[in-house]
Amino acid sequence: MADYKEYVYAVYQEKGFSRAAQKLFVSQPWLSAVVKKEEERIGFPIFDRRSKPISLTPEGEYYITRIEKIMALEKELEDHFQALKQQNHREIRIGSSMFFITYVLPKLLEAFQGRHPDVTLSFTEGDSDMLWEKLADGELDLVLEAERGERSDVEFQPWQSEELILAVPTENPINARLKEYCYDFASFCRRREPGGSKPRVPLREFAEQPFLLLKEGNDSHGRSLRMCEEAGFRPQVEMYVAQLMTAYYLVCEGRGLAFVRSSISECVAPTDAVRFYQIDSALAVRDVYLAYAKNRRNALVDSLVQQLLEESTRPL
């Protein structure tokens, strides 16, 4: 027996054959014929075609309520077996920024891969919006992101805190004026040692400077703007870039100032081309989250999350 319930249901949802045909990418005459066959099969009209828009007959109302139950059962069946496949899934698909994927995660995941040599870890980089979409669609198992989205279907596990700092070209004259706040590369790496820290700089000191900002779509973009607004100015944006590392290397070339992660000093070669400032703003410190879909949790992902929590013991 041909299964026409999805076509009938589309006509019901769209309240008309024309819109339903467009939605289904079929011709309207073909769709009308399909619905007519189903009505002939059950022996009663499903739609009252005299009303505008078309409506359900009493028999049609009964038909639709039963179809919805059948569709719900089919989805439950599909979800059940999808969950079973996930339990036996030997690949973990991780989404994050290029910075984390390239510089942070490889070292942290060495212990996990030692414990699970048969598990493949695959990585997808992108902005926050894209990563949340892929997580919701089941294309990712775990997202590492410095932003907590408002999603009821996602479990957010606080992982670490990290600090945004300001990177300034060494040649910029402002460094001489702000000497008491300014770190060179070597002193910034020693900032946690006794006597190594310097005062946090008021961001308003840079109100007239050219900034390199990340593009919209991630936490760093909005947070940078909010810090500047908090300091009483709107940044003069020299350029928008897609990646934090791109912004950093442009700073080294003298192109402008950029907000970067404080852990950048552990990921790049020492250089005399840049100076660093810790910013006097609570917004400069943010949480990083491990996020995964609630309905797709499995023992393997839980094991990885636990491993990351164990490996991460200090701020980034």
Side-chain angles (χ1 to χ4, degrees), residues 145-180:
E145 180 57 38
E147 180 180 357
R148 175 168 180 156
E150 298 298 326
R151 305 185 68 98
S152 60
D153 57 338
V154 176
E155 184 80 22
F156 291 92
Q157 172 68 58
W159 181 51
Q160 288 196 70
S161 63
E162 70 167 0
E163 182 180 359
L164 290 180
I165 60 172
L166 193 62
V168 179
T170 298
E171 65 187 32
N172 192 317
I174 200 172
N175 296 315
R177 180 164 63 83
L178 300 176
K179 185 184 301 185
E180 64 177 306

XYZ file of all heavy atoms in Angstrom, residues 145-180:
294
model
N 33.286 26.302 23.751
C 32.976 27.658 23.305
C 32.932 28.627 24.494
O 32.442 28.276 25.571
C 31.628 27.664 22.584
C 31.180 29.004 22.057
C 32.184 29.615 21.101
O 32.798 28.885 20.299
O 32.361 30.837 21.165
N 33.450 29.828 24.266
C 33.481 30.863 25.301
C 32.187 31.663 25.278
O 32.191 32.882 25.256
C 34.678 31.777 25.085
N 31.097 30.961 25.283
C 29.794 31.606 25.270
C 28.756 30.560 25.655
O 28.807 29.423 25.184
C 29.469 32.164 23.888
C 28.134 32.838 23.791
C 27.859 33.388 22.397
O 28.747 33.280 21.540
O 26.754 33.902 22.190
N 27.837 30.944 26.501
C 26.768 30.021 26.874
C 25.498 30.443 26.156
O 24.913 31.470 26.460
C 26.550 30.035 28.378
C 25.355 29.174 28.794
C 25.287 28.941 30.281
N 24.138 28.119 30.603
C 24.040 27.373 31.691
N 25.041 27.349 32.544
N 22.969 26.660 31.925
N 25.084 29.649 25.195
C 23.862 29.963 24.472
C 22.635 29.653 25.316
O 22.690 28.904 26.289
N 21.523 30.249 24.957
C 20.255 30.005 25.656
C 19.513 28.887 24.942
O 18.595 29.118 24.161
C 19.426 31.292 25.702
C 20.070 32.429 26.466
C 20.301 32.091 27.933
O 19.478 31.354 28.507
O 21.316 32.539 28.489
N 19.911 27.655 25.196
C 19.335 26.511 24.500
C 18.932 25.461 25.527
O 19.766 24.966 26.288
C 20.336 25.920 23.509
C 20.892 26.925 22.497
C 21.777 26.213 21.506
N 20.982 25.328 20.662
C 20.557 25.655 19.452
N 20.837 26.845 18.952
N 19.857 24.813 18.731
N 17.638 25.107 25.529
C 17.140 24.136 26.498
C 17.562 22.716 26.167
O 17.523 21.835 27.022
C 15.611 24.212 26.566
O 15.042 23.922 25.292
N 17.964 22.463 24.909
C 18.330 21.115 24.486
C 19.816 20.828 24.657
O 20.290 19.759 24.283
C 17.926 20.883 23.034
C 18.553 21.910 22.082
O 18.934 22.995 22.562
O 18.647 21.621 20.881
N 20.564 21.788 25.217
C 22.013 21.650 25.345
C 22.429 21.716 26.801
O 21.943 22.557 27.565
C 22.746 22.758 24.544
C 24.255 22.683 24.764
C 22.428 22.634 23.058
N 23.319 20.808 27.181
C 23.897 20.802 28.529
C 25.203 21.602 28.498
O 26.074 21.364 27.656
C 24.187 19.366 28.965
C 24.706 19.227 30.382
C 23.596 19.294 31.413
O 22.431 19.031 31.055
O 23.890 19.614 32.577
N 25.335 22.580 29.392
C 26.535 23.407 29.455
C 27.322 23.074 30.717
O 26.805 23.175 31.827
C 26.175 24.891 29.452
C 25.621 25.381 28.147
C 24.252 25.391 27.923
C 26.457 25.815 27.138
C 23.731 25.846 26.719
C 25.949 26.263 25.933
C 24.589 26.270 25.727
N 28.577 22.667 30.531
C 29.466 22.323 31.637
C 30.570 23.380 31.726
O 31.395 23.499 30.822
C 30.089 20.953 31.405
C 31.174 20.562 32.397
C 30.610 20.328 33.779
O 29.740 19.496 33.970
N 31.097 21.074 34.763
N 30.590 24.202 32.795
C 31.693 25.157 32.927
C 33.027 24.426 32.928
O 33.188 23.414 33.616
C 31.421 25.831 34.282
C 29.962 25.617 34.525
C 29.645 24.276 33.923
N 33.965 24.925 32.151
C 35.253 24.247 31.983
C 36.397 25.051 32.586
O 37.035 24.635 33.530
C 35.507 23.987 30.494
C 36.789 23.282 30.199
C 37.238 22.124 30.776
C 37.800 23.683 29.267
N 38.462 21.778 30.242
C 38.832 22.716 29.314
C 37.926 24.745 28.391
C 39.974 22.793 28.513
C 39.052 24.820 27.578
C 40.069 23.842 27.658
N 36.652 26.215 32.045
C 37.720 27.068 32.529
C 37.290 28.520 32.438
O 36.281 28.842 31.831
C 38.983 26.903 31.673
C 39.732 25.612 31.847
C 41.128 25.737 31.268
O 41.968 26.448 31.803
N 41.381 25.043 30.182
N 38.092 29.381 33.037
C 37.958 30.804 32.760
C 39.160 31.230 31.931
O 40.216 30.599 32.000
C 37.900 31.614 34.053
O 39.116 31.483 34.777
N 38.969 32.241 31.124
C 40.073 32.778 30.343
C 39.984 34.292 30.329
O 38.924 34.869 30.606
C 40.081 32.229 28.925
C 38.963 32.729 28.050
C 39.195 32.414 26.577
O 40.218 31.812 26.251
O 38.334 32.779 25.761
N 41.089 34.921 29.995
C 41.165 36.378 30.032
C 41.453 36.935 28.636
O 42.299 36.408 27.912
C 42.280 36.805 30.988
C 42.420 38.302 31.149
C 43.535 38.684 32.102
O 44.184 37.761 32.652
O 43.745 39.893 32.307
N 40.729 37.971 28.283
C 41.047 38.725 27.081
C 41.984 39.863 27.458
O 41.737 40.582 28.431
C 39.783 39.295 26.440
C 38.822 38.295 25.794
C 37.633 39.032 25.199
C 39.525 37.478 24.719
N 43.062 40.018 26.710
C 44.022 41.075 26.942
C 44.136 41.924 25.679
O 43.594 41.553 24.631
C 45.405 40.511 27.322
C 45.948 39.618 26.189
C 45.323 39.735 28.642
C 47.377 39.166 26.383
N 44.831 43.046 25.785
C 45.000 43.908 24.634
C 46.421 43.784 24.113
O 47.392 43.922 24.853
C 44.719 45.361 25.022
C 44.542 46.354 23.875
C 43.338 45.977 23.026
C 44.385 47.767 24.420
N 46.546 43.488 22.818
C 47.842 43.416 22.151
C 48.053 44.698 21.352
O 47.170 45.115 20.587
C 47.901 42.199 21.231
N 49.208 45.325 21.532
C 49.503 46.623 20.926
C 50.855 46.540 20.230
O 51.814 45.988 20.792
C 49.532 47.732 22.000
C 49.873 49.082 21.384
C 48.193 47.792 22.734
N 50.992 47.076 19.021
C 52.302 47.080 18.363
C 53.346 47.789 19.218
O 53.069 48.850 19.785
C 52.040 47.832 17.057
C 50.573 47.707 16.818
C 49.942 47.692 18.171
N 54.531 47.238 19.310
C 55.600 47.825 20.112
C 55.920 49.238 19.664
O 56.234 50.121 20.483
C 56.859 46.942 20.026
O 56.554 45.658 20.577
C 58.017 47.551 20.802
N 55.825 49.498 18.383
C 56.186 50.807 17.839
C 55.178 51.894 18.165
O 55.426 53.079 17.928
C 56.343 50.709 16.326
C 55.052 50.363 15.614
C 55.223 50.097 14.129
O 56.292 49.601 13.744
O 54.274 50.380 13.364
N 54.012 51.534 18.714
C 52.995 52.529 19.023
C 53.466 53.413 20.176
O 53.802 52.907 21.261
C 51.688 51.825 19.399
C 50.502 52.781 19.459
O 50.594 53.878 19.987
N 49.374 52.338 18.915
N 53.487 54.735 20.012
C 53.987 55.633 21.060
C 53.227 55.551 22.371
O 53.762 55.951 23.423
C 53.820 57.031 20.422
C 53.768 56.788 18.957
C 53.111 55.450 18.782
N 52.009 55.017 22.354
C 51.222 54.958 23.586
C 51.884 54.084 24.641
O 51.665 54.257 25.839
C 49.785 54.470 23.284
C 48.845 54.861 24.427
C 49.755 52.958 23.046
C 47.381 54.601 24.134
N 52.737 53.151 24.227
C 53.388 52.250 25.183
C 54.303 53.007 26.146
O 54.420 52.630 27.320
C 54.175 51.171 24.444
C 53.276 50.266 23.623
O 52.230 49.826 24.092
N 53.674 49.991 22.383
N 54.970 54.050 25.661
C 55.848 54.839 26.529
C 55.032 55.570 27.583
O 55.451 55.672 28.750
C 56.653 55.829 25.693
N 53.864 56.063 27.202
C 53.010 56.784 28.148
C 52.388 55.855 29.174
O 52.139 56.255 30.320
C 51.917 57.534 27.373
C 50.976 58.313 28.262
C 50.177 59.323 27.458
N 49.308 58.716 26.478
C 48.090 58.239 26.760
N 47.635 58.256 28.001
N 47.349 57.731 25.793
N 52.150 54.593 28.785
C 51.489 53.634 29.679
C 52.471 52.574 30.183
O 52.120 51.420 30.372
C 50.327 52.968 28.946
C 49.224 53.904 28.441
C 48.181 53.128 27.656
C 48.568 54.643 29.598
N 53.708 52.988 30.436
C 54.771 52.058 30.798
C 54.431 51.238 32.045
O 54.776 50.063 32.143
C 56.073 52.824 31.024
C 57.274 51.945 31.290
C 58.512 52.755 31.603
C 58.863 53.699 30.468
N 60.153 54.404 30.726
N 53.745 51.856 33.012
C 53.464 51.140 34.262
C 52.511 49.964 34.065
O 52.451 49.046 34.886
C 52.876 52.102 35.291
C 51.524 52.690 34.903
C 50.943 53.570 35.984
O 50.813 53.103 37.131
O 50.613 54.741 35.671
